[in-house]
């Protein structure tokens, strides 16, 4: 059974249909790259998965549990919404680190706040917090930033900030980690360090959805590629097939712009 | 000697109005901000009209209204002039502060809220743990302006008979002494000098991060 199943997802902003009948699935440990030109709906799709936007129609299931159903839009309590959100992690194009916290605090803050809701928090407070902090340290280490734990975001380069943001998203152990053009806001010489972190996550079978403009990277790292255009899925298949041997004219046109790079 | 003592006592009234107004207007301003930003339109409209009226009319007039309106409209006269002053000042300053807060809150990028949301934070956690300190940092210079203006505005309370420093100094002019009245400026200058140092210190305390 796939860990994520999206079927017939639709979303409009006013009269503009941004997503039309989007369906795909993702296996546990697999990675999916979403490619397409600006305005094709890639980011909106990720935002729908993370409940930053509410889709108009369709279904989203994680591990067989339906977490969104367009036919049964009951009012969801905010606690319920938060629980559903935690299936997903999201790494933003603009990092969005919290400026008043150190790299380390950025990674541990949400976990500590969530831990306070655990019924056994009072009894095992020290042990629970120790665990969160050790895990935070380990995650910073795994993105190569153990030495920068006490630095504030403005003291870090863009690439370092994005690596902290990845560690922060991983800290809550999401089922599926989403990346929204994680290197688009970076200088070219800084994209490499972020891509290599994502690559190492893929090699450890982290389930991921990556919206990206880095075609070579998508081809190497992703199992599957989904090409979107004007809110529809034009082509969806194994990464090597879609990128090396696209079946649709529109996909070919799009990829041609990347062939010389 | 006598003059200095009288002026000091008068300035004590100014400082009491100043301190009590700040303590009450700072939190009340936040309540008004929430009202002016709510998605519930009637409340938002009501709050913004209220802010418009308070900011659009002279504080001096508001002092008279607070002193006389309760007696004229409800038949319960406001007997304490100091209380009337406080009520008028707190409402007036809360309205101004609420607009500073609103500007600060609206200047925080959406991404900060979204980052908190996808990390499973509640709305209040996002506000208090993520957004608030960034807002405080952004609005500190504007708040400094308001605070210093408030120190000087306290002397307006003389129009409804509160014995603040300028009112007591003016009594000396009737005895032919003008120096006491002019010297009141020093009290304001000195106190605002201290406040400026304090505000600078607060800004420095938040230098460790950038927004």
């Amino acid at each position: 059974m796939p860990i994520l199943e999206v079927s017939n997802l639709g979303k409009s902003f006013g009269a503009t249909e941004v997503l039309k009948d989007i369906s795909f699935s993702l296996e546990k440990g697999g990675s999916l790259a979403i490619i397409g030109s600006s305005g094709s709906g890639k980011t909106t799709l990720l935002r729908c998965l993370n409940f930053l936007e509410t889709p108009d129609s369709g279904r989203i299931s994680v591990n067989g549990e339906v977490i969104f159903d367009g036919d049964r839009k009951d009012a969801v309590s905010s606690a319920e919404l938060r629980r559903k959100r935690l299936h997903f992690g999201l790494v933003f194009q603009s990092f969005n680190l919290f400026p008043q916290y150190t790299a380390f605090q950025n990674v541990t803050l949400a976990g500590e706040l969530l831990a306070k809701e655990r019924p056994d928090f009072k009894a095992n407070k020290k042990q629970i917090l120790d665990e969160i902090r050790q895990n935070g340290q380990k995650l910073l280490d795994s993105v190569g930033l153990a030495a920068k734990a006490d630095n504030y975001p403005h003291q870090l380069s863009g690439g370092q900030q994005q690596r902290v943001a990845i560690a922060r998203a991983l800290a809550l152990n999401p089922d599926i980690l989403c990346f929204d053009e994680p290197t688009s806001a970076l200088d070219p010489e800084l994209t490499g360090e972020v891509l290599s972190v994502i690559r190492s996550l893929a090699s450890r079978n982290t389930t991921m959805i990556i919206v990206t403009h880095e075609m070579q990277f998508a081809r190497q790292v992703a199992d599957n590629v989904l090409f979107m255009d004007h809110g529809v899925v034009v082509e969806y298949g194994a990464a090597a097939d879609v990128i090396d041997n696209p079946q649709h004219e529109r996909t070919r046109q799009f990829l041609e712009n990347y062939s010389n790079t | 000697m006598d003059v200095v003592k009288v002026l000091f006592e008068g300035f004590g009234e100014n400082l009491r109005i100043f301190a009590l107004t700040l303590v009450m207007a700072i939190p009340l301003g936040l309540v008004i901000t929430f009202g002016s930003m709510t998605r519930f339109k009637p409340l938002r409209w009501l709050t913004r009209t209220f802010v418009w009226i308070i900011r659009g009319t002279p504080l001096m007039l508001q002092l008279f209204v607070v002193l006389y309106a309760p007696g004229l409209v409800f038949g319960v006269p406001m007997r304490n002039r100091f209380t009337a002053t406080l009520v008028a000042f707190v409402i007036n300053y809360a309205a101004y502060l609420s607009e500073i807060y609103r500007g600060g809150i609206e200047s925080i990028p959406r991404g900060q809220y979204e980052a908190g949301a996808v990390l499973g934070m509640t709305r209040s956690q996002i506000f208090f743990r993520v957004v608030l300190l960034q807002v405080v940092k952004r609005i500190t210079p504007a708040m400094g302006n308001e605070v210093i203006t408030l120190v000087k505005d306290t002397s307006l309370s003389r129009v409804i008979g509160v014995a603040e420093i300028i009112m007591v100094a003016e009594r000396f002019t009737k005895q032919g002494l003008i120096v006491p009245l002019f010297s009141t400026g020093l009290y304001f200058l000195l106190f605002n000098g201290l406040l400026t140092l304090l505000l600078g210190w607060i800004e420095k305390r938040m230098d460790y991060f950038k927004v």
Side-chain angles (χ1 to χ4, degrees), chain B residues 124-192:
Chain B
S124 82
Q125 283 171 343
I126 293 171
F127 183 75
F128 287 105
R129 305 299 293 259
V130 174
V131 174
L132 185 60
L133 190 59
Q134 299 181 45
V135 172
V136 170
K137 185 178 167 91
R138 286 202 179 184
I139 67 175
T140 302
M143 291 288 283
N145 264 338
E146 284 303 307
V147 168
I148 283 170
T149 305
L150 171 60
V151 175
K152 295 171 293 177
D153 275 356
T154 55
S155 60
L156 276 177
S157 62
R158 76 181 302 291
V159 301
I160 59 167
V162 174
E164 54 75 50
I165 187 167
I166 292 182
M167 183 164 181
V168 297
E170 233 186 333
R171 288 179 194 148
F172 291 105
T173 59
K174 285 164 195 147
Q175 304 164 26
L177 294 169
I178 196 73
V179 176
L181 180 59
F182 287 0
S183 71
T184 58
L186 288 176
Y187 291 76
F188 287 99
L189 261 183
L190 269 174
F191 187 67
N192 276 331

Side-chain angles (χ1 to χ4, degrees), chain B residues 107-122:
Chain B
S107 75
I108 303 300
R110 283 211 62 75
Q112 291 289 308
Y113 293 89
E114 292 180 349
V118 297
L119 289 167
M121 294 186 195
T122 63

Side-chain angles (χ1 to χ4, degrees), chain A residues 32-89:
Chain A
L32 170 71
I34 302 178
I35 59 173
S37 44
S38 307
S40 60
K42 309 173 304 257
T43 294
T44 306
L45 176 56
L46 274 200
R47 291 172 62 84
C48 283
L49 294 177
N50 284 276
F51 293 94
L52 292 176
E53 307 287 352
T54 313
D56 300 325
S57 55
R59 275 158 66 109
I60 303 171
S61 340
V62 175
N63 283 324
E65 180 203 354
V66 177
I67 61 167
F68 174 80
D69 189 340
D71 298 330
R72 299 183 55 247
K73 270 188 270 185
D74 319 322
V76 197
S77 74
S78 61
E80 188 69 7
L81 181 69
R82 287 170 55 222
R83 193 185 64 75
K84 289 175 173 179
R85 259 185 182 142
L86 289 173
H87 287 296
F88 296 89

Side-chain angles (χ1 to χ4, degrees), chain A residues 91-95 97 142-145 157-167 170 177-202 204 208 210-212 214 217 221:
Chain A
V91 174
F92 298 86
Q93 182 177 347
S94 50
F95 333 134
L97 292 181
S142 75
V143 297
L145 290 173
S157 71
Q160 290 170 333
Q161 289 190 48
Q162 192 61 301
R163 281 144 68 198
V164 173
I166 293 171
L170 286 169
L177 184 54
C178 304
F179 294 86
D180 184 13
E181 301 190 26
T183 59
S184 295
L186 296 174
D187 291 339
E189 64 262 43
L190 297 177
T191 59
E193 62 187 64
V194 172
L195 294 183
S196 79
V197 165
I198 302 174
R199 203 171 271 135
S200 82
L201 289 174
R204 276 176 281 150
M208 294 189 290
I210 310 161
V211 169
T212 185
E214 304 274 342
F217 172 74
V221 171

Side-chain angles (χ1 to χ4, degrees), chain A residues 35 225-228 232-237 241-243 245-252:
Chain A
I35 59 173
V225 165
L226 189 152
F227 172 64
M228 284 179 73
V232 282
V233 176
V234 175
E235 199 154 344
Y236 172 44
D241 292 347
V242 174
I243 291 179
N245 193 13
Q247 298 302 304
H248 292 261
E249 182 52 32
R250 182 70 191 94
T251 321
R252 242 170 274 161

